[in-house]
Amino acid sequence: MPLSSAPGAGVASLFPLQKSHVSDREAKRATELAVSDNRQLMEIEFPTSGLDSVPGDGEGGIEMTGSMQLIREFCDQLVDSEKVTRTRIFFPEANEVKFARKSAFEGASFKLDYLTKPSFFEDFGFTEKVKMTDRVRPEDELFLVAYPYFNVNEMLVVEELYREAVVNTARKLIIFNGELDRIRSGYYPAFFYPKLAALTKTLFPKMETVYYIHNFKGTKGGTLFRCYPGPWKVLRRVGNRYMTLHQQEAMPSLKEVALNILPSS
């Protein structure tokens, strides 16, 4: 959803929805600005079933495949050719790595890796722990973590990766389509998932959301949007343009946008 403010109108222009590569360039520029400001931990959240879609519009596997393609396009935009082999992309588990090498990342020189290893008891929610310090190499400069939301353990591994391999280094870590709003909103009850809930106080405050699109459907629908270093904006589509209804510096909760901002605009 490539957006650029129209002078004095509170309106943002809308490119054709199929031209997602324009948004890739926006996300690239936002990431570069964040890196230049010494941000080490970054988040990108992007709809996968079309720029007007919401999570769940596509079947889970299809959405992950869409994210994989978006990640390849984003990496091609962001990473210089001489740094490709110093970029390590973590997928949720080993089978995703195999699929990536045969599809979106076929022939690419990026290092592909995984966060968790399935075990015999996977159907019961158990996976084998992958020690992050064993996965990284001294020459690694950028880590990109792909959609770590299918298993609740994945974000805990991401926190370990950040703590053990990024803090006190010059490395950068980007979480791409992690659906972190599930954790922010309390989708996982803290009583049952205390370690996951703790991330809102330990990991998330260190994270910069550099590019973000979340759509709300319905007659009072709209879009929560952010492109670093700009403010958070709540937008509504009017014809083929987007009008800014509200903006603020801090990220509003999805509940606040859905129940307060959009209905009152």
Side-chain angles (χ1 to χ4, degrees):
M1 186 177 296
L3 302 163
S4 55
S5 296
V11 174
S13 61
L14 175 68
F15 287 81
L17 294 180
Q18 67 269 24
K19 292 187 177 179
S20 61
H21 63 278
V22 182
S23 291
D24 291 336
R25 291 200 293 270
E26 274 198 335
K28 168 186 178 288
R29 179 58 180 157
T31 304
E32 288 174 338
L33 289 172
V35 169
S36 70
D37 289 338
N38 296 317
R39 302 292 193 265
Q40 279 192 288
L41 178 62
M42 292 161 276
E43 172 193 15
I44 293 174
E45 189 70 29
F46 200 97
T48 56
S49 300
L51 289 176
D52 273 346
S53 68
V54 299
D57 275 358
E59 187 272 329
I62 295 174
E63 288 195 342
M64 288 181 179
T65 301
S67 285
M68 186 183 291
Q69 184 60 48
L70 287 171
I71 290 167
R72 173 62 194 271
E73 293 169 4
F74 171 73
C75 288
D76 285 345
Q77 289 275 347
L78 180 70
V79 183
D80 296 335
S81 56
E82 65 271 16
K83 293 187 177 182
V84 167
T85 57
R86 286 176 267 170
T87 300
R88 187 174 296 275
I89 303 172
F90 286 93
F91 290 95
E93 45 91 14
N95 286 336
E96 283 288 304
V97 173
K98 293 178 182 178
F99 180 70
R101 287 188 174 130
K102 295 178 181 179
S103 55
F105 284 84
E106 184 177 11
S109 299
F110 297 104
K111 295 179 179 178
L112 305 187
D113 218 316
Y114 56 90
L115 296 172
T116 61
K117 185 177 180 181
S119 74
F120 177 78
F121 300 101
E122 182 182 18
D123 288 344
F124 300 96
F126 296 100
T127 55
E128 292 184 24
K129 183 172 174 55
V130 178
K131 192 174 182 180
M132 287 293 98
T133 52
D134 293 338
R135 312 303 299 172
V136 304
R137 296 294 178 267
E139 64 271 18
D140 291 345
E141 294 183 3
L142 172 66
F143 301 128
L144 191 147
V145 181
Y147 41 91
Y149 62 82
F150 187 74
N151 185 296
V152 294
N153 293 318
E154 289 164 12
M155 270 306 300
L156 299 179
V157 177
V158 173
E159 189 275 335
E160 179 191 337
L161 175 65
Y162 173 73
R163 175 169 34 86
E164 299 292 339
V166 177
V167 174
N168 296 324
T169 75
R171 292 172 173 148
K172 306 293 186 290
L173 191 156
I174 300 171
I175 301 171
F176 198 109
N177 279 6
E179 292 198 14
L180 302 185
D181 291 319
R182 293 187 183 189
I183 303 175
R184 293 187 182 105
S185 67
Y187 176 85
Y188 300 103
F191 180 81
F192 296 105
Y193 303 96
K195 292 182 179 179
L196 204 61
L199 296 181
T200 61
K201 297 179 180 179
T202 58
L203 187 70
F204 287 16
K206 300 178 177 70
M207 183 163 51
E208 187 71 56
T209 303
V210 296
Y211 199 78
Y212 180 99
I213 298 171
H214 184 97
N215 295 309
F216 299 81
K217 291 190 173 183
T219 55
K220 285 285 189 177
T223 299
L224 178 61
F225 174 78
R226 204 248 173 149
C227 182
Y228 182 90
W232 288 86
K233 296 182 179 183
V234 179
L235 311 168
R236 175 165 292 145
R237 186 170 180 171
V238 180
N240 64 346
R241 301 171 75 84
Y242 276 84
M243 177 176 292
T244 301
L245 305 176
H246 174 87
Q247 68 179 47
Q248 62 185 63
E249 290 303 313
M251 180 184 187
S253 69
L254 299 186
K255 183 177 180 180
E256 181 183 359
V257 175
L259 299 183
N260 298 331
I261 299 174
L262 286 172
S264 63
S265 301

